[in-house]
């Protein structure tokens, strides 16, 4: 009985929840201005952000000061400004010995943090030993502060004469300020000092700001090693066994050893690397001699900048070039002998930067962008995706500060090449961000990923020793496939943040989002459903499976490295979690989940055969008689078979419209087999790769088993995905795809009713047996349409 009561509540805990936030588009226009009217119940203002709740801030821009008095003792002035509102106060940086300083810093005080009706701006002189000297102040009544909403121009700063401490008389010096009431849509918001993060000091201030990042532009570098000439071995008594090693950054690839021992070896092998603009790495090529299985000898070397090679936008052949290599060997590096070298070996290469491929930097199952590298090949966007990152609730404590659990949460969203990061809300289990971001959509069959993290770099939380030892801990992740969204509808839901830990599955909180997918061109969107998901070069000259896996891992590493160098940095652990860097690792739980997906699909087929067996056994005489009548009609009129099938699917599609999914998919713990996982299997999933087991033989066999099983797991998952795509044809999970298929079924039914069956069979047979010359290397329209259909992989942990 206890289990029966616990299970429903737990299932309810992991469900998607509808929310009703007060979004900007629902708010009436304000009838009055002034900060105090907003604080004490005045009408809310409209916002340029219509997918988030408006948050109001008092902004203070401190620009500069002039003619400040000097200290009578030191004869100088080290000025800084303190902005105070109630118990909250922020300070600018100070300048040494400057009476005309320029700060240009912005302070933002949240509406929830209001503790006073008076804003005070103090100019002070920093003293090294004694108390800082008071220079002057400017006070503002909050009822008189103007309101500004973008796209209005920024408020112009003004000069204010400084007053004494009591405000009774003017003193020497002026300060230039701008004070206004705004929202989070204000362009000053990202770089402002915030009162709700007043405890953060030093470098932590930069690590809590919101930021928009762009992934580096990635290229595939194709190096075709054709041949080499005059490869001189160090041992003149033998012919060399030569191979070429190529390196770009930390990527190293080798050709096979030339099968014949010769000084003019030939390979004609393709080596493919990932390179990122700006091209910081070089292509380093070395020719090496295989002396034995464990020893190679360096014979020649050349370093080539990547800017030397042309960028190819199609599959046309690239001109090959000869390059002279620098000799290596005994005595070559000595100055006198270097002059005696009359020639060097040459290497024949065909190298290009591939611009017609899409460089995979994320899992193909959750791809968010499929455009080729070259911008010239991009098509116009077909839609706009707008996401309002509203808030989170019930977050778990991620670390301890002063003996109590705290969480400093921020949210990261990734779609296409654009990454966004919200500001960090300090010490809150229910943070409110209310930040809105927009992406252009070039293909609706893509996925946006959002992750919530705990900021480990807010100041005072770093581990001793430095060197980036502190990490941003993952709280949870949400994926939304755009093709499952209805156009121009606002989805407001609370998504469960579910993670798998060594102790089991755990809900870490809920993420509140507002999502809207707007179509710019319905015709272009429908046109996409009949075309390949990836650029045509992926089908004309495809990579091998091993190449795809290796190149994707290298691309992920490059993206994580480049984003980690931004300011503020997007940490490597956050980028890898967003890109699902470990999605192809072996997991007993994932394998079981994929197996259950397949059995679930097969259960429908098994049910159909059971129904036919029931008909054969006359369990329901009326049904059996109706099947006899239908069978006799189809035997007498075989031309009705196909149109009847299509008409039947058309009717099923119409009937299923009533039961179409109303919500976007979310992480499903039951589907992921995460609720009833065995502790030993969980320990295996969180084991390192390679394993940490002590015995060398066990380690080798265990890792080999995991590697092979990981491939099997992927194949099983792909089989399940195909079946689920077939299921989604009439499920209305992708409204546009189901609409197209339902219309096709109707048209096909009508056409097949009026067309003789023999003609249909003749045309179909001739089409299937057509000459290869009339076949395209690109996938067919039905194949492209099928591959774009959604599957339940989106809901997998």
């Amino acid at each position: 009985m206890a289990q029966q009561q616990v299970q429903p509540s737990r299932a309810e805990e992991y469900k998607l929840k509808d929310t009703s936030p007060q979004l900007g588009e629902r708010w009436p226009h304000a009838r009055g201005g002034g900060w105090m009217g907003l604080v004490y119940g005045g009408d809310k203002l409209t916002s340029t952000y219509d997918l988030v709740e408006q948050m109001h801030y008092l902004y203070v821009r401190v620009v500069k000061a002039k003619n400040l008095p000097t200290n009578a003792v030191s004869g100088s002035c080290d000025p800084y400004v303190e902005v105070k509102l109630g118990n909250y106060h922020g300070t600018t940086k100070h300048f040494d010995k400057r009476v005309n300083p320029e700060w240009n810093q912005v302070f933002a005080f949240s509406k929830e943090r209001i503790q006073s009706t008076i804003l005070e701006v103090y100019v002070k002189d920093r003293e090294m030993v004694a108390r800082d000297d008071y220079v002057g102040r400017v006070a503002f009544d909050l009822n008189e502060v103007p309101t500004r909403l973008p796209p209005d121009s920024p408020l112009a700063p003004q000069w204010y004469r400084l007053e004494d401490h009591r405000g009774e008389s003017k003193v020497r010096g002026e300060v230039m300020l701008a004070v206004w009431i705004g929202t989070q849509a204000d362009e000053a918001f990202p770089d402002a000092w915030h009162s709700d993060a007043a405890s953060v000091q030093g470098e932590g201030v930069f690590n809590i700001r919101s930021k928009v990042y762009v992934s580096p532009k990635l290229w595939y570098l194709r190096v075709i090693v054709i041949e080499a000439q005059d490869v001189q071995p160090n041992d003149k008594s033998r012919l060399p066994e030569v191979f070429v090693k190529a390196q770009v950054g930390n990527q190293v690839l080798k050709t096979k050893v030339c099968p014949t021992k010769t000084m003019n070896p030939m390979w004609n092998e393709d080596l493919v690397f990932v390179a990122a603009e700006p091209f910081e790495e070089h292509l380093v090529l070395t020719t090496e001699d295989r002396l034995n299985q464990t020893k190679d000898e360096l014979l020649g070397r050349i370093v080539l900048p990547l800017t030397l090679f042309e960028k190819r936008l199609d599959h046309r052949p690239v001109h090959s070039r000869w390059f002279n290599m620098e000799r290596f060997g005994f005595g070559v590096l000595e100055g006198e002998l270097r002059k005696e070298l009359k020639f060097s070996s040459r290497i024949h290469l065909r190298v290009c930067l591939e611009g017609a491929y899409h460089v995979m930097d994320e899992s193909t199952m959750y791809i968010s962008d499929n455009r080729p590298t070259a911008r010239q090949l991009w098509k116009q966007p077909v839609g706009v995706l707008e996401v309002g990152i509203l808030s989170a609730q019930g977050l778990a404590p991620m670390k301890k500060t002063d003996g109590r659990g705290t969480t400093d949460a921020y949210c990261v969203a990734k779609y296409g090449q654009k990454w966004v990061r919200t500001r960090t809300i300090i010490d809150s289990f229910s943070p409110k961000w209310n930040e809105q971001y927009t992406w252009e959509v070039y293909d609706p069959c893509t996925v946006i990923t959002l992750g919530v993290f705990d900021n480990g770099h807010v100041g005072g939380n770093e581990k001793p020793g430095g060197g980036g030892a502190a990490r941003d801990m993952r709280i949870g992740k949400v994926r939304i496939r755009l093709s499952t969204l209805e156009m121009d509808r606002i989805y407001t839901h609370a998504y469960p943040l579910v993670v798998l830990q060594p102790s089991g599955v755990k809900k870490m909180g809920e993420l509140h989002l507002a999502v809207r997918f707007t179509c710019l061109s319905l015709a272009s969107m429908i046109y996409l459903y009949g075309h390949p998901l990836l650029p045509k070069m992926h089908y004309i000259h495809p990579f091998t499976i091993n190449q795809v896996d290796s190149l994707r891992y290298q691309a992920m590493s490059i993206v994580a490295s480049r984003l980690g160098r931004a300011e503020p940095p997007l940490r490597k652990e956050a980028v890898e979690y967003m890109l699902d860097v470990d999605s192809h690792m072996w997991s007993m739980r994932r394998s079981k989940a994929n197996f259950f997906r397949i059995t679930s699909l097969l259960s429908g087929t098994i049910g159909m055969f059971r129904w036919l067996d029931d008909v054969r056994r006359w369990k329901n005489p009326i049904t059996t008689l109706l099947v006899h009548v239908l069978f006799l009609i189809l035997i007498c009129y075989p031309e009705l078979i196909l149109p009847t099938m299509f008409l039947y699917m058309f009717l099923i599609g119409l009937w299923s419209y009533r039961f179409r999914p109303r919500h976007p998919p979310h992480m499903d713990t039951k589907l992921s087999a995460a609720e009833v996982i065995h502790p030993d299997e969980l320990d295996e999933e969180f084991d390192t790769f390679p394993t940490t087991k002590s015995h060398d033989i066990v380690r080798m066999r265990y890792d080999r088993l995991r590697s092979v099983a990981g491939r099997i797991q992927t194949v099983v998952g792909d089989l399940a995905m195909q079946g689920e795509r077939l299921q989604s044809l009439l499920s209305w999970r992708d409204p546009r795809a189901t609409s197209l298929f339902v219309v096709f079924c109707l048209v096909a039914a009508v056409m097949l009713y009026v067309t003789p069956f023999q003609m249909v069979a003749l045309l179909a047979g001739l089409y299937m047996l057509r000459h290869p010359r009339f076949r395209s290397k690109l996938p067919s329209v039905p194949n492209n349409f099928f591959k774009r259909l959604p599957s339940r992989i989106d809901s997998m942990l």
Side-chain angles (χ1 to χ4, degrees):
M1 290 296 294
Q3 289 184 352
Q4 291 179 355
Q5 292 175 355
V6 171
Q7 203 65 22
S9 63
R10 185 168 185 181
E12 191 71 24
E13 180 185 4
Y14 294 122
K15 279 188 176 180
L16 199 69
K17 298 178 182 176
D18 276 309
T19 60
S20 300
Q22 291 181 309
L23 301 183
E25 65 174 9
R26 304 178 186 175
W27 292 357
H29 288 272
R31 291 189 293 270
W35 176 265
M36 300 311 295
L38 294 175
V39 174
Y40 297 109
D43 287 336
K44 297 169 183 171
L45 299 171
T46 55
S47 171
T48 54
Y49 286 8
D50 63 345
L51 291 183
V52 293
E53 298 181 5
Q54 270 193 338
M55 301 172 68
H56 296 96
Y57 293 86
L58 173 66
Y59 289 99
V60 182
R61 182 183 295 277
V62 181
V63 183
K64 55 186 175 180
K66 67 179 180 179
N67 300 328
L68 296 180
T70 58
N71 187 287
V73 178
S74 62
S76 64
C77 182
D78 303 333
Y80 69 94
V81 172
E82 180 182 12
V83 181
K84 185 176 182 181
L85 185 62
N87 290 331
Y88 291 96
H89 60 90
T91 57
T92 65
K93 58 186 176 182
H94 85 281
F95 292 100
D96 293 330
K97 300 179 181 180
R98 193 176 300 183
V99 294
N100 297 310
E102 291 190 17
W103 296 283
N104 200 27
Q105 288 182 239
V106 181
F107 299 84
F109 296 88
S110 170
K111 167 187 171 182
E112 286 78 13
R113 307 278 174 167
I114 285 299
Q115 297 175 334
S116 174
T117 60
I118 300 297
L119 169 71
E120 296 173 296
V121 180
Y122 294 97
V123 180
K124 295 186 177 182
D125 181 10
R126 172 161 294 186
E127 297 292 338
M128 296 299 296
V129 180
R131 184 178 180 183
D132 294 347
D133 286 342
Y134 172 83
V135 177
R137 74 155 195 166
V138 179
F140 296 88
D141 185 347
L142 297 191
N143 286 304
E144 304 300 326
V145 175
T147 300
R148 183 225 166 194
L149 288 176
D152 294 348
S153 298
L155 199 66
Q158 301 179 32
W159 287 105
Y160 293 90
R161 284 285 304 274
L162 297 177
E163 302 173 343
D164 62 12
H165 192 69
R166 297 182 178 179
E168 295 176 352
S169 61
K170 303 294 183 182
V171 297
R172 181 183 171 185
E174 295 180 73
V175 62
M176 179 179 279
L177 304 171
V179 182
W180 73 95
I181 298 163
T183 66
Q184 72 269 37
D186 202 294
E187 61 268 19
F189 177 81
D191 297 325
W193 173 95
H194 287 270
S195 58
D196 55 5
S199 60
V200 181
Q201 302 294 333
E203 292 297 322
V205 174
F206 298 100
N207 288 314
I208 66 172
R209 289 179 175 169
S210 59
K211 200 73 174 179
V212 176
Y213 306 85
V214 177
S215 292
K217 189 174 184 180
L218 301 177
W219 295 78
Y220 284 137
L221 175 69
R222 188 186 295 273
V223 181
I224 304 177
V225 183
I226 303 173
E227 59 181 326
Q229 287 183 352
D230 301 324
V231 179
Q232 300 287 340
N234 291 325
D235 183 1
K236 304 297 183 182
S237 64
R238 57 180 289 275
L239 290 173
E241 299 180 41
V242 187
F243 67 93
V244 175
K245 182 169 74 174
Q247 181 171 358
V248 178
N250 62 351
Q251 306 169 69
V252 180
L253 294 176
K254 300 177 183 179
T255 67
K256 297 177 182 177
V257 177
C258 182
T260 58
K261 297 181 180 181
T262 175
M263 290 192 295
N264 299 310
M266 296 189 66
W267 298 279
N268 203 29
E269 285 190 40
D270 270 26
L271 305 176
V272 184
F273 303 88
V274 179
E277 287 187 353
F279 300 120
E280 299 174 350
E281 294 86 8
H282 292 74
L283 172 62
V284 182
L285 292 166
T286 57
T287 51
E288 301 188 21
D289 184 9
R290 175 65 52 85
L291 300 181
N292 52 57
Q293 292 296 326
T294 60
K295 186 176 180 181
D296 303 321
E297 194 170 58
L298 186 64
L299 301 180
R301 182 175 184 269
I302 187 172
V303 179
L304 301 171
L306 300 188
T307 52
L308 195 64
F309 310 120
E310 66 175 298
K311 298 176 179 178
R312 185 168 72 166
L313 305 184
D314 50 26
H315 57 279
R316 61 181 174 81
V318 178
H319 296 296
S320 61
R321 297 172 62 180
W322 285 95
F323 295 93
N324 293 328
M325 304 197 72
E326 180 184 349
R327 279 284 314 269
F328 277 76
F330 293 110
V332 173
L333 297 179
E334 298 176 9
E336 296 178 359
L337 295 178
R338 180 184 292 276
K339 297 178 183 177
E340 297 178 6
L341 292 172
K342 302 300 182 183
F343 65 91
S344 63
S345 61
R346 300 195 304 164
I347 190 167
H348 194 194
L349 303 174
R350 184 177 286 116
V351 188
C352 67
L353 291 160
E354 298 280 12
Y357 286 91
H358 169 70
V359 181
M360 300 282 188
D361 63 342
E362 55 196 345
S363 173
T364 52
M365 295 179 290
Y366 313 118
I367 194 168
S368 66
D369 187 18
N370 48 31
R371 291 171 291 171
T373 298
R375 187 177 289 270
Q376 301 94 306
L377 302 178
W378 292 3
K379 293 181 171 57
Q380 291 297 317
V382 298
V384 174
L385 173 65
E386 298 165 278
V387 178
I389 303 173
L390 303 178
S391 62
Q393 282 190 354
L395 297 184
M398 301 301 295
K399 57 177 175 275
K400 283 195 174 183
T401 304
D402 299 328
R404 63 183 183 86
T406 64
T407 298
D408 305 319
Y410 67 91
C411 183
V412 176
K414 195 265 183 193
Y415 182 76
Q417 296 180 346
K418 179 179 174 181
W419 299 66
V420 299
R421 167 180 171 165
T422 66
R423 67 190 186 97
T424 301
I425 306 298
I426 304 300
D427 192 15
S428 174
F429 299 133
S430 299
K432 290 185 178 181
W433 295 289
N434 282 303
E435 298 180 27
Q436 183 172 335
Y437 298 96
T438 304
W439 287 267
E440 290 182 329
V441 176
Y442 292 85
D443 194 312
C445 302
T446 46
V447 176
I448 180 173
T449 305
L450 301 101
V452 182
F453 301 88
D454 172 67
N455 196 328
H457 301 79
V458 295
N461 292 321
E462 292 86 359
K463 296 180 181 179
R471 293 173 59 85
D472 290 354
M473 303 298 292
R474 61 183 70 170
I475 297 178
K477 182 164 41 180
V478 172
R479 300 189 197 100
I480 302 175
R481 187 172 294 272
L482 272 57
S483 61
T484 62
L485 304 177
E486 295 179 10
M487 292 182 293
D488 301 315
R489 173 185 168 186
I490 298 178
Y491 291 84
T492 54
H493 294 100
Y495 293 80
L497 296 172
V498 182
V499 295
L500 197 65
Q501 298 179 341
S503 58
V505 67
K506 183 178 181 182
K507 181 180 177 182
M508 305 293 286
E510 295 178 341
L511 178 63
H512 292 201
L513 299 175
V515 182
R516 177 172 56 204
F517 176 41
T518 305
C519 177
L520 297 178
S521 173
L522 184 60
S524 298
M525 192 174 297
I526 294 174
Y527 173 81
L528 283 174
Y529 274 89
H531 283 73
L533 188 67
L534 294 171
K536 64 180 182 180
M537 280 293 287
H538 287 267
Y539 307 98
I540 297 175
H541 294 292
F543 296 116
T544 64
I545 295 176
N546 288 335
Q547 274 184 313
V548 170
D549 289 343
S550 175
L551 292 172
R552 180 170 56 239
Y553 180 78
Q554 295 297 337
M556 288 177 178
S557 300
I558 292 173
V559 171
S561 174
R562 292 287 180 94
L563 294 181
R565 288 156 49 186
E567 183 62 44
L570 194 57
R571 306 287 171 178
K572 179 182 178 182
E573 56 269 21
V575 175
E576 290 183 346
Y577 182 55
M578 297 290 290
L579 293 178
D580 291 288
V581 71
D582 58 350
S583 62
H584 294 280
M585 294 290 287
W586 159 255
S587 164
M588 182 68 76
R589 175 188 60 83
R590 286 198 193 104
S591 298
K592 282 186 175 181
N594 289 332
F595 177 75
F596 292 148
R597 288 165 62 197
I598 289 182
T599 56
S600 175
L601 293 172
L602 294 177
S603 64
T605 306
I606 295 171
M608 183 183 69
F609 281 109
R610 286 178 178 172
W611 178 79
L612 290 174
D613 188 59
D614 291 343
V615 169
R616 189 173 63 88
R617 293 175 180 273
W618 288 77
K619 285 194 173 182
N620 189 333
I622 297 178
T623 304
T624 304
L625 288 173
L626 290 175
V627 169
H628 275 79
V629 171
L630 179 62
F631 177 72
L632 291 174
I633 292 175
L634 294 179
I635 289 295
C636 297
Y637 304 97
E639 64 272 13
L640 298 181
I641 295 175
L642 280 178
T644 302
M645 287 176 56
F646 279 105
L647 184 62
Y648 182 60
M649 286 192 288
F650 170 73
L651 295 174
I652 291 178
L654 289 183
W655 177 260
S656 300
Y657 180 77
R658 297 171 53 197
F659 311 104
R660 68 190 185 280
R662 305 285 180 167
H663 306 308
H666 62 286
M667 299 298 182
D668 192 330
T669 55
K670 185 176 181 181
L671 178 68
S672 307
E675 292 181 337
V676 290
I677 186 170
H678 192 275
D680 183 61
E681 296 173 0
L682 199 58
D683 179 65
E684 181 185 23
E685 181 166 347
F686 281 91
D687 191 10
T688 57
F689 187 83
T691 179
T692 54
K693 305 301 178 183
S694 58
H695 202 286
D696 291 338
I697 297 178
V698 175
R699 178 184 302 171
M700 179 193 67
R701 292 177 179 175
Y702 185 51
D703 290 344
R704 182 173 59 191
L705 175 63
R706 294 177 72 186
S707 178
V708 173
R711 292 296 178 90
I712 297 173
Q713 165 188 308
T714 302
V715 171
V716 172
D718 288 341
L719 291 174
M721 187 187 301
Q722 307 313 316
E724 287 165 356
R725 283 174 174 167
L726 194 63
Q727 256 186 351
S728 66
L729 274 172
L730 298 172
S731 70
W732 293 93
R733 188 166 176 219
D734 182 345
R736 287 160 291 280
T738 304
S739 300
L740 289 172
F741 185 72
V742 167
V743 171
F744 168 77
C745 290
L746 177 61
V747 173
V750 173
M751 294 294 294
L752 292 171
Y753 269 123
V754 300
T755 306
F757 179 77
Q758 292 85 349
M759 183 62 68
V760 174
L762 177 64
L763 293 176
L766 291 175
Y767 180 79
M768 295 296 293
L769 298 173
R770 69 190 185 281
H771 193 273
R773 182 179 296 177
F774 301 106
R775 301 175 189 269
S776 172
K777 289 186 177 181
L778 297 178
S780 63
V781 171
N783 190 20
N784 295 329
F785 181 85
F786 183 77
K787 286 186 176 180
R788 289 174 172 275
L789 294 171
S791 71
R792 301 184 72 189
I793 190 68
D794 304 334
S795 302
M796 289 283 291
L797 278 172

